[in-house]
Amino acid sequence: MKLCIAEKPSVARDIAKVLGATTPKQGYMEGNGYCVTWTFGHLCTLKEPHDYGPQFKSWNLFSLPIIPNSFGIKLIPNKGVENQFKVIERLVEECDEVINCGDAGQEGELIQRWVLQKAKCNKPIQRLWISSLTEDAIKEGFASLKPAEDYKNLYLAGNARAIGDWLLGINATRLFTKKFGGNKAVLSIGRVQTPTLAMLVQRQKEIDAFTTEEYWELKTRYRDVVFNAAIDRLKTLERAEKGLEYLKVNPFEIISFEIKEGKEKNPRLFDLTGLQVEANKKYGYSAENTLNYVQSLYEKKHVTYPRVDTTYLSDSLYPKIAGILQKMYPYQDLIAPLLEAPIPKSKAVFDDTKVTDHHAIIPTEIPPSQNLSREEKLIYDLIAKRFIAVFYPECKISNTLVEGKVGTIPFKTSGRQILEPGWRAVYAKEPKEESADKEKEKEEEQTIPEFIVGETGPHDPMIHQGKTTPPKPYTEATLLRAMETAGKQVEDEELREMLKNNGIGRPSTRANIIETLFKRKYIEKKRKNLIATQTGIQLIDTIEDELLKSPELTGEWESKLRKIEKGEYEANLFKEELIQMVTELTEKVVYGKGKVITLQEEEKEEVKEKKKREPAQKKELQSWEETKCPKCKEHNLIKGKTAVGCSDFKNCGFKITFEIFGKKLSDKQLLDLVLKGKTSKLKGFTAHPAELTEGVLTLNDDFQVQLSQ
């Protein structure tokens, strides 16, 4: 018997269907010589400090740093996890061969290896590696299974990352909490979280320290075209008025007129960060929500694997492109012109050297169904249009540059016209994005007539008064880009691609890092802007060690993790370097000066006040915070992005996800489940292991959710 282990029940069902393992059992599917089972994401985690010795249970400054001789793993303490692990453990014992069908990425590899390690697996292991969950992709994957050994470095990198995050997170958090928390608050420090917060704090300080200054510029209108004086901004109105008088008594003369035709490159295909940036700019979606929407589209087989950091496709995909385009029925008016000739094979799209484990996010040959949520439809639309746009011709533009003078003062202007829209035709019906500098955009779009060098004439000079503006606060879009390039401001896409190896965090974890900063109250959101709170600013000010808060240095660690993945760096060496750093940091902080970081209690009150004034739908969410946890009966519940759980989740472990057996529950249904222990009869379940589609949800004695008819 061959045992397949997928990362979640819905994926296991897709695989089981293709393999013909259609008999449902408790915790797995069986048939045709296969058993197909699943994890629920992470079943195992690294052991906690107290697992290595009772002396580490209490936080003591002088027991730091905590450095285990060897890192162990344990099951996540949860009844459902324990039951499912027993199923996996028994099947591993009974099978002849294991096929690792985990998510095809670093995290997916780690999840599966830890489970197999915990189950003491000594059977031969093969790896299923696929980029989409369509039937064809699964069949192709099983026809070309890889030896597990091929992915050993991927696991070593994931394991090194987890150990690195443990070493720094556990030790630095305890260290700073005990030294500076004043026994009132946990001060959370993380390998990626802290440099990300440092970038936000730095920007906040630049904004707070900024002094607005007035300035004046000279402009003039000649033949209905506005020209700007090509001189430094004037600091006083007096100088500007003198300049204006001078302009009034001298004619305007054209000294240069040049038209340059150019091309505007097609946008690149989406990697995860690019998609999150675009969704934030266009729809205001958080990075975490975008990841959830695109993950759902992937599981519904409409798009390829999303947790990627490349914007390229592999050459082997080229023959499939026309077939995918033909199946994208809602976009046929845009696709028809493409299919009139062979699809172009550009190096900007197809490049094997730029593709590692996966290619860019693209649609699959399965078009979207009607039952997608509005958000999923919008995310699919972004991916679909970008996929279509990369195969269109480049956009041809004309740039007109004109230079003139009035007496001795030089003037210039420029204009831009689209000659052939090319790929821009894909976005022709979409509302135009608002520019930050409307004045400049208006001038760039002005139609410039034919000028003759040497011509002169009367003109209409004027003074433009302006104010200097502070740096812009980060939004989630600009912060994601800054994380990708370790804080460097890079507009050029090719240069950005080169810097990705030294970015901080991975595409799949950046959203979670930002959410953690919100949860810790180190940052808050004002409209789209991310603002560092006083607590966040104080925490960064307290950390004197640049290693902890430098994006560049964190980017270097990230680069080493990628090298481990490629087999170019030793995982043990990475661990030793972090142990040395943590040891030095501990000594420095323990014996350094102490001060207490004050938490912003007033801030919390303000947040509550704001919540009260929000619309009725959001007021209703308050009730979770007033509802006692049914399991521990001590703490209140809190509502997260994907689940409702006990505010003391670490010790209590109670949690109910919004989506159960493939059905998204309303707040009312979730409240019934928590308060009454059961819901009314519900329909629309699509992911129950025994294929139940309707019934009553109940909480059993272990506070796990069950569906019964």
Side-chain angles (χ1 to χ4, degrees):
M1 180 262 285
K2 293 182 179 182
L3 172 63
C4 301
I5 309 176
E7 197 166 304
K8 54 174 69 175
S10 59
V11 177
R13 257 195 323 282
D14 291 334
I15 290 169
K17 188 178 170 187
V18 171
L19 296 176
T22 51
T23 308
K25 300 277 184 177
Q26 189 65 43
Y28 65 102
M29 312 284 282
E30 188 178 43
N32 203 23
Y34 288 94
C35 282
V36 183
T37 188
W38 54 83
T39 62
F40 309 118
H42 279 281
L43 292 192
C44 296
T45 184
L46 286 173
K47 285 182 176 177
E48 294 172 77
H50 61 80
D51 295 315
Y52 296 104
Q55 71 273 26
F56 297 128
K57 194 166 181 71
S58 61
W59 290 28
N60 183 337
L61 205 55
F62 296 98
S63 66
L64 300 175
I66 302 166
I67 298 167
N69 291 328
S70 64
F71 283 82
I73 55 169
K74 65 175 185 176
L75 280 182
I76 289 168
N78 172 291
K79 198 69 181 167
V81 165
E82 287 161 15
N83 289 341
Q84 187 61 18
F85 178 73
K86 281 175 189 165
V87 171
I88 295 170
E89 194 173 34
R90 177 175 62 79
L91 293 173
V92 165
E93 181 65 33
E94 293 171 1
C95 76
D96 304 308
E97 177 186 307
V98 173
I99 300 171
N100 173 355
C101 304
D103 229 357
Q106 194 186 93
E107 196 73 1
E109 191 67 21
L110 188 67
I111 286 169
Q112 298 286 328
R113 295 259 187 159
W114 277 355
V115 167
L116 291 170
Q117 192 179 317
K118 187 74 182 161
K120 297 185 172 63
C121 176
N122 56 7
K123 305 291 169 71
I125 304 171
Q126 296 209 78
R127 183 60 157 111
L128 174 73
W129 195 268
I130 51 177
S131 283
S132 84
L133 292 172
T134 63
E135 193 173 319
D136 287 349
I138 293 170
K139 281 179 181 172
E140 279 179 34
F142 272 94
S144 56
L145 292 170
K146 307 281 193 302
E149 191 61 24
D150 289 3
Y151 298 92
K152 185 183 174 187
N153 289 331
L154 189 67
Y155 160 69
L156 289 174
N159 198 53
R161 176 185 296 279
I163 287 172
D165 288 345
W166 191 101
L167 275 168
L168 199 61
I170 294 286
N171 284 296
T173 296
R174 289 187 174 206
L175 183 65
F176 279 81
T177 297
K178 292 306 290 178
K179 186 76 176 181
F180 307 110
N183 295 322
K184 287 181 182 174
V186 172
L187 300 178
S188 173
I189 308 283
R191 187 179 60 84
V192 180
Q193 171 194 316
T194 303
T196 303
L197 176 59
M199 287 195 292
L200 285 157
V201 168
Q202 176 65 25
R203 179 63 56 87
Q204 191 63 43
K205 286 184 172 181
E206 287 168 6
I207 293 167
D208 292 345
F210 187 83
T211 307
T212 300
E213 292 178 357
E214 290 187 327
Y215 64 85
W216 290 265
E217 292 175 313
L218 296 175
K219 298 188 176 206
T220 193
R221 188 184 299 278
Y222 173 68
R223 286 180 56 188
D224 283 333
V225 175
V226 175
F227 286 79
N228 299 306
I231 57 173
D232 290 341
R233 287 170 169 174
L234 304 170
K235 299 288 174 70
T236 65
L237 179 59
E238 189 184 357
R239 286 192 66 194
E241 286 172 341
K242 276 185 185 173
L244 184 66
E245 292 307 313
Y246 177 80
L247 295 179
K248 284 179 177 174
V249 297
N250 287 287
F252 190 92
E253 181 185 349
I254 297 290
I255 55 175
S256 163
F257 178 73
E258 187 180 11
I259 297 177
K260 280 185 181 175
E261 287 194 8
K263 289 178 179 177
E264 209 174 52
K265 286 182 182 175
N266 301 50
R268 288 190 180 276
L269 289 168
F270 283 125
D271 58 7
L272 178 59
T273 303
L275 181 64
Q276 288 169 321
V277 166
E278 194 69 12
N280 183 256
K281 285 196 316 200
K282 212 161 190 179
Y283 305 122
Y285 294 163
S286 71
E288 186 178 47
N289 283 347
T290 299
L291 177 55
N292 291 339
Y293 302 143
V294 72
Q295 180 71 20
S296 175
L297 287 168
Y298 166 66
E299 287 168 20
K300 289 172 180 171
K301 309 180 185 61
H302 302 312
V303 303
T304 58
Y305 184 68
R307 295 162 188 261
V308 298
D309 60 357
T310 181
T311 57
Y312 293 88
L313 301 178
S314 49
D315 290 334
S316 61
L317 269 173
Y318 176 72
K320 299 180 181 179
I321 299 300
I324 295 170
L325 288 165
Q326 281 167 348
K327 293 282 176 66
M328 294 168 66
Y329 304 123
Y331 302 90
Q332 283 310 303
D333 55 333
L334 295 172
I335 289 165
L338 287 179
L339 298 177
E340 288 170 4
I343 300 296
K345 192 177 182 185
S346 154
K347 199 74 174 164
V349 179
F350 299 94
D351 190 342
D352 279 343
T353 64
K354 303 284 175 65
V355 176
T356 49
D357 304 329
H358 292 282
H359 53 71
I361 307 168
I362 61 171
T364 66
E365 64 273 22
I366 296 176
S369 53
Q370 290 305 307
N371 65 355
L372 296 184
S373 68
R374 178 179 175 273
E375 291 82 4
E376 287 169 353
K377 283 176 184 168
L378 291 172
I379 294 296
Y380 181 85
D381 187 64
L382 288 178
I383 296 166
K385 283 187 176 161
R386 185 64 66 94
F387 180 60
I388 295 164
V390 299
F391 300 116
Y392 262 68
E394 289 179 315
C395 169
K396 288 186 180 173
I397 55 172
S398 160
N399 286 316
T400 307
L401 304 168
V402 191
E403 291 180 7
K405 65 175 184 177
V406 178
T408 58
I409 298 178
F411 279 81
K412 63 182 180 183
T413 194
S414 62
R416 187 171 170 279
Q417 281 179 298
I418 291 175
L419 304 175
E420 291 176 27
W423 62 266
R424 283 193 170 275
V426 176
Y427 301 97
K429 291 178 182 173
E430 296 198 0
K432 198 173 174 197
E433 278 184 37
E434 276 193 29
S435 167
D437 191 341
K438 289 181 184 173
E439 188 79 24
K440 188 180 176 189
E441 185 181 58
K442 193 175 164 187
E443 286 179 13
E444 272 185 3
E445 285 181 357
Q446 61 186 337
T447 305
I448 296 180
E450 187 88 18
F451 287 110
I452 298 163
V453 174
E455 70 172 86
T456 63
H459 60 109
D460 182 18
M462 64 195 100
I463 294 171
H464 168 74
Q465 183 180 355
K467 288 180 179 178
T468 55
T469 54
K472 288 186 170 56
Y474 280 114
T475 61
E476 283 207 35
T478 55
L479 181 62
L480 285 165
R481 283 292 185 219
M483 291 172 81
E484 188 179 51
T485 56
K488 294 181 176 68
Q489 299 299 309
V490 180
E491 292 301 320
D492 183 77
E493 286 194 324
E494 285 182 32
L495 181 56
R496 196 158 62 217
E497 198 75 28
M498 289 163 64
L499 287 170
K500 279 182 182 178
N501 283 351
N502 283 51
I504 60 175
R506 285 180 78 80
S508 54
T509 60
R510 287 177 191 140
N512 186 254
I513 293 295
I514 296 170
E515 290 304 316
T516 300
L517 293 174
F518 279 124
K519 196 169 73 183
R520 301 281 182 205
K521 294 199 165 44
Y522 295 157
I523 64 171
E524 59 189 13
K525 193 179 279 189
K526 290 184 179 171
R527 294 194 182 90
K528 273 191 177 183
N529 297 333
L530 305 181
I531 309 295
T533 63
Q534 262 327 100
T535 308
I537 293 169
Q538 283 187 44
L539 177 58
I540 292 301
D541 286 348
T542 303
I543 300 169
E544 292 177 1
D545 200 301
E546 278 305 309
L547 275 167
L548 280 181
K549 54 186 182 180
S550 161
E552 290 83 2
L553 290 167
T554 307
E556 283 177 27
W557 293 342
E558 206 65 47
S559 178
K560 285 174 182 173
L561 286 164
R562 286 170 190 268
K563 284 179 179 173
I564 293 169
E565 209 172 289
K566 293 175 189 169
E568 298 168 3
Y569 203 78
E570 281 292 321
N572 279 336
L573 184 56
F574 178 78
K575 188 173 92 174
E576 291 306 319
E577 286 171 357
L578 271 173
I579 287 172
Q580 186 183 343
M581 182 203 145
V582 165
T583 306
E584 289 171 2
L585 174 72
T586 304
E587 286 176 10
K588 198 187 292 182
V589 173
V590 168
Y591 299 106
K593 286 182 182 175
K595 66 174 180 180
V596 174
I597 292 178
T598 53
L599 280 176
Q600 298 298 104
E601 292 299 327
E602 303 79 16
E603 250 174 33
K604 291 181 185 173
E605 287 304 315
E606 277 174 30
V607 172
K608 282 184 185 170
E609 280 302 308
K610 279 180 191 170
K611 279 187 181 172
K612 283 177 191 168
R613 287 195 292 271
E614 281 177 354
Q617 184 192 351
K618 292 196 178 174
K619 269 187 200 167
E620 199 176 289
L621 305 184
Q622 275 299 120
S623 59
W624 288 115
E625 293 160 18
E626 297 153 10
T627 306
K628 276 271 182 280
C629 170
K631 186 177 178 184
C632 68
K633 297 185 174 56
E634 286 179 29
H635 299 274
N636 288 352
L637 297 178
I638 55 169
K639 183 177 182 180
K641 295 284 179 184
T642 58
V644 170
C646 181
S647 55
D648 187 34
F649 178 76
K650 198 169 181 184
N651 295 312
C652 167
F654 178 74
K655 179 175 85 169
I656 298 180
T657 55
F658 300 156
E659 190 175 297
I660 298 174
F661 302 128
K663 177 178 173 63
K664 194 159 187 177
L665 300 190
S666 68
D667 267 29
K668 170 80 171 68
Q669 291 160 344
L670 283 166
L671 271 168
D672 283 349
L673 194 52
V674 169
L675 297 173
K676 301 174 186 174
K678 65 176 185 177
T679 64
S680 55
K681 191 164 185 179
L682 304 174
K683 293 182 178 180
F685 297 100
T686 60
H688 192 270
E691 299 191 348
L692 298 179
T693 57
E694 58 181 75
V696 175
L697 290 174
T698 55
L699 280 180
N700 67 15
D701 293 342
D702 295 320
F703 296 94
Q704 301 299 311
V705 180
Q706 292 180 326
L707 179 62
S708 51
Q709 287 183 313

